[in-house]
PDB file of all heavy atoms in Angstrom:
ATOM      1  N   VAL A  86     -27.706  15.357 -30.318  1.00  0.00           N
ATOM      2  CA  VAL A  86     -28.219  15.933 -29.210  1.00  0.00           C
ATOM      3  C   VAL A  86     -27.178  16.905 -28.705  1.00  0.00           C
ATOM      4  O   VAL A  86     -27.520  17.988 -28.176  1.00  0.00           O
ATOM      5  CB  VAL A  86     -28.462  14.800 -28.008  1.00  0.00           C
ATOM      6  CG1 VAL A  86     -28.707  15.597 -26.712  1.00  0.00           C
ATOM      7  CG2 VAL A  86     -29.658  13.987 -28.564  1.00  0.00           C
ATOM      8  N   GLY A  87     -25.824  16.675 -28.967  1.00  0.00           N
ATOM      9  CA  GLY A  87     -24.764  17.557 -28.585  1.00  0.00           C
ATOM     10  C   GLY A  87     -24.366  17.395 -27.134  1.00  0.00           C
ATOM     11  O   GLY A  87     -24.210  18.543 -26.481  1.00  0.00           O
ATOM     12  N   VAL A  88     -24.165  16.259 -26.508  1.00  0.00           N
ATOM     13  CA  VAL A  88     -23.813  16.051 -25.170  1.00  0.00           C
ATOM     14  C   VAL A  88     -22.306  16.432 -25.064  1.00  0.00           C
ATOM     15  O   VAL A  88     -21.487  16.120 -25.815  1.00  0.00           O
ATOM     16  CB  VAL A  88     -23.998  14.611 -24.802  1.00  0.00           C
ATOM     17  CG1 VAL A  88     -23.648  14.422 -23.290  1.00  0.00           C
ATOM     18  CG2 VAL A  88     -25.405  14.143 -25.054  1.00  0.00           C
ATOM     19  N   THR A  89     -22.036  17.226 -24.199  1.00  0.00           N
ATOM     20  CA  THR A  89     -20.678  17.817 -23.933  1.00  0.00           C
ATOM     21  C   THR A  89     -20.162  17.612 -22.489  1.00  0.00           C
ATOM     22  O   THR A  89     -21.151  17.282 -21.650  1.00  0.00           O
ATOM     23  CB  THR A  89     -20.538  19.299 -24.277  1.00  0.00           C
ATOM     24  OG1 THR A  89     -21.502  20.037 -23.460  1.00  0.00           O
ATOM     25  CG2 THR A  89     -20.987  19.587 -25.696  1.00  0.00           C
ATOM     26  N   ALA A  90     -19.102  17.867 -22.280  1.00  0.00           N
ATOM     27  CA  ALA A  90     -18.535  17.682 -20.853  1.00  0.00           C
ATOM     28  C   ALA A  90     -19.127  18.766 -19.956  1.00  0.00           C
ATOM     29  O   ALA A  90     -19.019  18.658 -18.627  1.00  0.00           O
ATOM     30  CB  ALA A  90     -17.060  17.697 -20.738  1.00  0.00           C
ATOM     31  N   ALA A  91     -19.650  19.859 -20.488  1.00  0.00           N
ATOM     32  CA  ALA A  91     -20.215  20.929 -19.577  1.00  0.00           C
ATOM     33  C   ALA A  91     -21.520  20.553 -19.105  1.00  0.00           C
ATOM     34  O   ALA A  91     -22.068  21.299 -18.287  1.00  0.00           O
ATOM     35  CB  ALA A  91     -20.299  22.195 -20.404  1.00  0.00           C
ATOM     36  N   ASP A  92     -22.170  19.459 -19.626  1.00  0.00           N
ATOM     37  CA  ASP A  92     -23.657  19.197 -19.138  1.00  0.00           C
ATOM     38  C   ASP A  92     -23.493  18.707 -17.775  1.00  0.00           C
ATOM     39  O   ASP A  92     -22.569  18.221 -17.164  1.00  0.00           O
ATOM     40  CB  ASP A  92     -24.170  18.085 -20.045  1.00  0.00           C
ATOM     41  CG  ASP A  92     -24.337  18.506 -21.491  1.00  0.00           C
ATOM     42  OD1 ASP A  92     -24.540  19.760 -21.609  1.00  0.00           O
ATOM     43  OD2 ASP A  92     -24.422  17.681 -22.457  1.00  0.00           O
ATOM     44  N   SER A  93     -24.636  18.782 -17.059  1.00  0.00           N
ATOM     45  CA  SER A  93     -24.791  18.405 -15.617  1.00  0.00           C
ATOM     46  C   SER A  93     -24.530  16.897 -15.490  1.00  0.00           C
ATOM     47  O   SER A  93     -25.121  16.113 -16.108  1.00  0.00           O
ATOM     48  CB  SER A  93     -26.063  18.853 -15.023  1.00  0.00           C
ATOM     49  OG  SER A  93     -26.298  18.411 -13.782  1.00  0.00           O
ATOM     50  N   LEU A  94     -23.692  16.545 -14.609  1.00  0.00           N
ATOM     51  CA  LEU A  94     -23.415  15.160 -14.176  1.00  0.00           C
ATOM     52  C   LEU A  94     -24.159  14.736 -12.910  1.00  0.00           C
ATOM     53  O   LEU A  94     -23.792  13.734 -12.238  1.00  0.00           O
ATOM     54  CB  LEU A  94     -21.910  14.890 -14.033  1.00  0.00           C
ATOM     55  CG  LEU A  94     -21.133  15.170 -15.309  1.00  0.00           C
ATOM     56  CD1 LEU A  94     -19.634  14.867 -15.115  1.00  0.00           C
ATOM     57  CD2 LEU A  94     -21.600  14.325 -16.462  1.00  0.00           C
ATOM     58  N   LYS A  95     -25.134  15.484 -12.362  1.00  0.00           N
ATOM     59  CA  LYS A  95     -25.836  15.294 -11.280  1.00  0.00           C
ATOM     60  C   LYS A  95     -26.617  13.917 -11.432  1.00  0.00           C
ATOM     61  O   LYS A  95     -27.350  13.802 -12.380  1.00  0.00           O
ATOM     62  CB  LYS A  95     -26.713  16.436 -10.687  1.00  0.00           C
ATOM     63  CG  LYS A  95     -27.331  16.150  -9.473  1.00  0.00           C
ATOM     64  CD  LYS A  95     -28.137  17.425  -9.100  1.00  0.00           C
ATOM     65  CE  LYS A  95     -28.842  17.189  -7.796  1.00  0.00           C
ATOM     66  NZ  LYS A  95     -29.704  18.329  -7.327  1.00  0.00           N
ATOM     67  N   GLU A  96     -26.546  13.016 -10.458  1.00  0.00           N
ATOM     68  CA  GLU A  96     -27.401  11.821 -10.573  1.00  0.00           C
ATOM     69  C   GLU A  96     -28.776  12.138 -10.316  1.00  0.00           C
ATOM     70  O   GLU A  96     -29.201  12.731  -9.382  1.00  0.00           O
ATOM     71  CB  GLU A  96     -26.704  10.832  -9.424  1.00  0.00           C
ATOM     72  CG  GLU A  96     -25.301  10.475  -9.679  1.00  0.00           C
ATOM     73  CD  GLU A  96     -24.892   9.375  -8.588  1.00  0.00           C
ATOM     74  OE1 GLU A  96     -25.781   8.973  -7.881  1.00  0.00           O
ATOM     75  OE2 GLU A  96     -23.702   9.046  -8.671  1.00  0.00           O
ATOM     76  N   THR A  97     -29.623  11.520 -11.228  1.00  0.00           N
ATOM     77  CA  THR A  97     -30.967  11.695 -11.034  1.00  0.00           C
ATOM     78  C   THR A  97     -31.519  10.584 -10.193  1.00  0.00           C
ATOM     79  O   THR A  97     -32.684  10.646  -9.626  1.00  0.00           O
ATOM     80  CB  THR A  97     -31.755  11.652 -12.374  1.00  0.00           C
ATOM     81  OG1 THR A  97     -31.338  10.415 -13.173  1.00  0.00           O
ATOM     82  CG2 THR A  97     -31.288  12.855 -13.300  1.00  0.00           C
ATOM     83  N   ILE A  98     -30.924   9.466 -10.227  1.00  0.00           N
ATOM     84  CA  ILE A  98     -31.287   8.284  -9.237  1.00  0.00           C
ATOM     85  C   ILE A  98     -30.278   8.083  -8.149  1.00  0.00           C
ATOM     86  O   ILE A  98     -29.136   7.950  -8.429  1.00  0.00           O
ATOM     87  CB  ILE A  98     -31.514   7.037 -10.085  1.00  0.00           C
ATOM     88  CG1 ILE A  98     -32.536   7.193 -11.138  1.00  0.00           C
ATOM     89  CG2 ILE A  98     -31.942   5.919  -9.159  1.00  0.00           C
ATOM     90  CD1 ILE A  98     -32.680   6.084 -11.984  1.00  0.00           C
ATOM     91  N   LYS A  99     -30.617   8.307  -6.911  1.00  0.00           N
ATOM     92  CA  LYS A  99     -29.650   8.248  -5.835  1.00  0.00           C
ATOM     93  C   LYS A  99     -29.142   6.897  -5.684  1.00  0.00           C
ATOM     94  O   LYS A  99     -29.966   5.841  -5.670  1.00  0.00           O
ATOM     95  CB  LYS A  99     -30.290   8.799  -4.604  1.00  0.00           C
ATOM     96  CG  LYS A  99     -30.541  10.281  -4.450  1.00  0.00           C
ATOM     97  CD  LYS A  99     -31.207  10.804  -3.284  1.00  0.00           C
ATOM     98  CE  LYS A  99     -31.541  12.307  -3.256  1.00  0.00           C
ATOM     99  NZ  LYS A  99     -31.959  12.774  -1.982  1.00  0.00           N
ATOM    100  N   GLY A 100     -27.844   6.666  -5.556  1.00  0.00           N
ATOM    101  CA  GLY A 100     -27.315   5.303  -5.215  1.00  0.00           C
ATOM    102  C   GLY A 100     -27.031   4.534  -6.434  1.00  0.00           C
ATOM    103  O   GLY A 100     -26.687   3.348  -6.194  1.00  0.00           O
ATOM    104  N   GLN A 101     -27.139   5.104  -7.674  1.00  0.00           N
ATOM    105  CA  GLN A 101     -27.051   4.227  -8.868  1.00  0.00           C
ATOM    106  C   GLN A 101     -25.586   3.920  -9.054  1.00  0.00           C
ATOM    107  O   GLN A 101     -25.342   2.721  -9.601  1.00  0.00           O
ATOM    108  CB  GLN A 101     -27.620   4.935 -10.057  1.00  0.00           C
ATOM    109  CG  GLN A 101     -26.787   6.282 -10.400  1.00  0.00           C
ATOM    110  CD  GLN A 101     -27.357   6.996 -11.636  1.00  0.00           C
ATOM    111  OE1 GLN A 101     -28.099   6.332 -12.406  1.00  0.00           O
ATOM    112  NE2 GLN A 101     -26.915   8.166 -11.878  1.00  0.00           N
ATOM    113  N   ARG A 102     -24.646   4.664  -8.535  1.00  0.00           N
ATOM    114  CA  ARG A 102     -23.237   4.161  -8.716  1.00  0.00           C
ATOM    115  C   ARG A 102     -22.886   3.062  -7.824  1.00  0.00           C
ATOM    116  O   ARG A 102     -21.993   2.159  -8.295  1.00  0.00           O
ATOM    117  CB  ARG A 102     -22.292   5.387  -8.418  1.00  0.00           C
ATOM    118  CG  ARG A 102     -22.464   6.590  -9.368  1.00  0.00           C
ATOM    119  CD  ARG A 102     -21.410   7.620  -9.043  1.00  0.00           C
ATOM    120  NE  ARG A 102     -21.454   8.777 -10.033  1.00  0.00           N
ATOM    121  CZ  ARG A 102     -20.685   9.733 -10.168  1.00  0.00           C
ATOM    122  NH1 ARG A 102     -19.579   9.830  -9.285  1.00  0.00           N
ATOM    123  NH2 ARG A 102     -20.857  10.636 -11.072  1.00  0.00           N
ATOM    124  N   TRP A 103     -23.408   3.054  -6.582  1.00  0.00           N
ATOM    125  CA  TRP A 103     -23.212   1.826  -5.792  1.00  0.00           C
ATOM    126  C   TRP A 103     -23.707   0.555  -6.349  1.00  0.00           C
ATOM    127  O   TRP A 103     -23.341  -0.540  -6.348  1.00  0.00           O
ATOM    128  CB  TRP A 103     -23.833   2.213  -4.355  1.00  0.00           C
ATOM    129  CG  TRP A 103     -23.033   3.230  -3.639  1.00  0.00           C
ATOM    130  CD1 TRP A 103     -23.519   4.551  -3.416  1.00  0.00           C
ATOM    131  CD2 TRP A 103     -21.759   3.147  -2.927  1.00  0.00           C
ATOM    132  NE1 TRP A 103     -22.380   5.176  -2.712  1.00  0.00           N
ATOM    133  CE2 TRP A 103     -21.381   4.352  -2.440  1.00  0.00           C
ATOM    134  CE3 TRP A 103     -20.838   2.000  -2.897  1.00  0.00           C
ATOM    135  CZ2 TRP A 103     -20.174   4.527  -1.852  1.00  0.00           C
ATOM    136  CZ3 TRP A 103     -19.722   2.310  -2.283  1.00  0.00           C
ATOM    137  CH2 TRP A 103     -19.430   3.413  -1.705  1.00  0.00           C
ATOM    138  N   TRP A 104     -25.053   0.739  -6.930  1.00  0.00           N
ATOM    139  CA  TRP A 104     -25.641  -0.471  -7.541  1.00  0.00           C
ATOM    140  C   TRP A 104     -24.906  -0.932  -8.767  1.00  0.00           C
ATOM    141  O   TRP A 104     -24.782  -2.080  -9.047  1.00  0.00           O
ATOM    142  CB  TRP A 104     -27.135  -0.058  -7.953  1.00  0.00           C
ATOM    143  CG  TRP A 104     -28.083  -0.083  -6.885  1.00  0.00           C
ATOM    144  CD1 TRP A 104     -28.619   0.988  -6.235  1.00  0.00           C
ATOM    145  CD2 TRP A 104     -28.602  -1.224  -6.227  1.00  0.00           C
ATOM    146  NE1 TRP A 104     -29.487   0.571  -5.141  1.00  0.00           N
ATOM    147  CE2 TRP A 104     -29.544  -0.757  -5.162  1.00  0.00           C
ATOM    148  CE3 TRP A 104     -28.396  -2.597  -6.284  1.00  0.00           C
ATOM    149  CZ2 TRP A 104     -30.150  -1.638  -4.340  1.00  0.00           C
ATOM    150  CZ3 TRP A 104     -29.087  -3.357  -5.416  1.00  0.00           C
ATOM    151  CH2 TRP A 104     -29.919  -2.924  -4.602  1.00  0.00           C
ATOM    152  N   ALA A 105     -24.397   0.118  -9.530  1.00  0.00           N
ATOM    153  CA  ALA A 105     -23.626  -0.185 -10.729  1.00  0.00           C
ATOM    154  C   ALA A 105     -22.219  -0.996 -10.260  1.00  0.00           C
ATOM    155  O   ALA A 105     -21.875  -2.015 -10.935  1.00  0.00           O
ATOM    156  CB  ALA A 105     -23.208   1.016 -11.502  1.00  0.00           C
ATOM    157  N   ALA A 106     -21.652  -0.562  -9.192  1.00  0.00           N
ATOM    158  CA  ALA A 106     -20.464  -1.142  -8.814  1.00  0.00           C
ATOM    159  C   ALA A 106     -20.764  -2.612  -8.220  1.00  0.00           C
ATOM    160  O   ALA A 106     -19.960  -3.481  -8.518  1.00  0.00           O
ATOM    161  CB  ALA A 106     -19.806  -0.311  -7.507  1.00  0.00           C
ATOM    162  N   LEU A 107     -21.877  -2.770  -7.475  1.00  0.00           N
ATOM    163  CA  LEU A 107     -22.386  -4.037  -7.001  1.00  0.00           C
ATOM    164  C   LEU A 107     -22.502  -4.973  -8.165  1.00  0.00           C
ATOM    165  O   LEU A 107     -22.123  -6.187  -8.172  1.00  0.00           O
ATOM    166  CB  LEU A 107     -23.580  -3.997  -6.043  1.00  0.00           C
ATOM    167  CG  LEU A 107     -23.997  -5.237  -5.511  1.00  0.00           C
ATOM    168  CD1 LEU A 107     -22.978  -5.780  -4.609  1.00  0.00           C
ATOM    169  CD2 LEU A 107     -25.319  -4.903  -4.713  1.00  0.00           C
ATOM    170  N   CYS A 108     -23.295  -4.620  -9.236  1.00  0.00           N
ATOM    171  CA  CYS A 108     -23.476  -5.404 -10.519  1.00  0.00           C
ATOM    172  C   CYS A 108     -22.119  -5.796 -11.094  1.00  0.00           C
ATOM    173  O   CYS A 108     -22.073  -6.858 -11.491  1.00  0.00           O
ATOM    174  CB  CYS A 108     -24.439  -4.782 -11.301  1.00  0.00           C
ATOM    175  SG  CYS A 108     -26.106  -4.503 -10.702  1.00  0.00           S
TER     176      CYS A 108
END
Side-chain angles (χ1 to χ4, degrees):
V86 172
V88 180
T89 62
D92 293 338
S93 176
L94 297 179
K95 184 178 179 180
E96 295 184 5
T97 56
I98 303 177
K99 294 183 178 180
Q101 61 179 347
R102 294 190 179 184
W103 292 104
W104 283 106
L107 183 61
C108 292

